[in-house]
Amino acid sequence: MVNPEAITANIVSLNVDAIVNAANSSLLGGGGVDGAIHRAAGPELLSECRQLNGCSTGQAKVTLGYRLPARYIIHTVGPVWHGGDLGEDRLLASCYRTCMAEAASLALKSIAFPAISTGVYGYPLALATRIAVDTIMNQLEHTKIQVMFVCFDDEVRAVYEEVLSPG
Ligand code: AR6
């Protein structure tokens, strides 16, 4: 198994097979990482997204990366945090699993995830990180994809390092 790693970076700069976008259900762009990806990929991305008919929470849809170094963008819709009793944990895990399934079906070798739902959608970072790491570790038992957790700053990275560290 190739262990996942946490890095501090702007996800749009990464030279990987696919980056994951923390989108909303319209798939027509927004703020945060979604806005950064649309700006960097260029207007062709929005044109392709318009054909996709949106995406449900916990699911994912794939587009090309256009002007990004990444070949593909896997757009997933994380849950909005409402306190934890509305299946947020199940939906967030589903985002990570579904993106990995898309990556496997495209035979990708590397994928970079942002901290889905932890910005505008308000998911507590420590809880979200635990779900991200546990779900990916499970997936990596039966695939060899290289996974990067992309942290926008070192504070987020410290949380990932803590959860990733053995013991
Ligand atoms: N690279 C890596 N991480 C980033 C970047 C970047 N360029 N920009 C932000 N982050 P958010 P969400 C981090 O709000 O909570 C959008 O409007 C950020 O610091 O982007 O899933 C969509 O259209 C945080 O840790 O996504 C939706 O409406 C993480 O990415 C909504 O926001 C996720 O923050 C989705 O909200």
Side-chain angles (χ1 to χ4, degrees):
M1 178 172 106
V2 188
N3 280 322
E5 56 176 337
I7 60 166
T8 306
N10 183 339
I11 203 166
V12 302
S13 68
L14 296 179
N15 195 353
V16 287
D17 289 343
I19 64 168
V20 172
N21 183 14
N24 60 63
S25 58
S26 76
L27 296 185
L28 298 179
V33 73
D34 194 8
I37 289 172
H38 274 268
R39 277 193 301 279
E44 298 92 342
L45 174 58
L46 185 57
S47 303
E48 185 176 356
C49 284
R50 286 192 201 285
Q51 314 303 313
L52 298 178
N53 283 314
C55 182
S56 305
T57 304
Q59 298 301 305
K61 292 198 176 170
V62 181
T63 66
L64 295 176
Y66 297 99
R67 299 176 199 179
L68 296 178
R71 177 141 178 239
Y72 296 104
I73 304 166
I74 305 177
H75 306 261
T76 190
V77 183
V80 177
W81 177 256
H82 289 292
D85 293 331
L86 294 180
E88 292 96 329
D89 51 355
R90 183 181 51 79
L91 289 165
L92 187 60
S94 171
C95 288
Y96 285 93
R97 257 197 325 272
T98 312
C99 289
M100 290 294 280
E102 294 287 356
S105 74
L106 292 164
L108 304 187
K109 293 192 170 58
S110 55
I111 182 170
F113 285 91
I116 300 165
S117 284
T118 66
V120 174
Y121 281 0
Y123 210 116
L125 181 62
L127 297 180
T129 304
R130 173 54 71 190
I131 290 169
V133 169
D134 285 352
T135 308
I136 292 299
M137 289 297 209
N138 274 326
Q139 296 292 305
L140 290 177
E141 282 171 17
H142 35 86
T143 136
K144 281 202 300 195
I145 300 174
Q146 185 201 351
V147 176
M148 269 175 254
F149 292 117
V150 184
C151 308
F152 207 36
D153 57 43
D154 287 331
E155 268 172 62
V156 174
R157 175 140 168 230
V159 174
Y160 271 90
E161 296 288 0
E162 171 81 30
V163 174
L164 282 167
S165 65

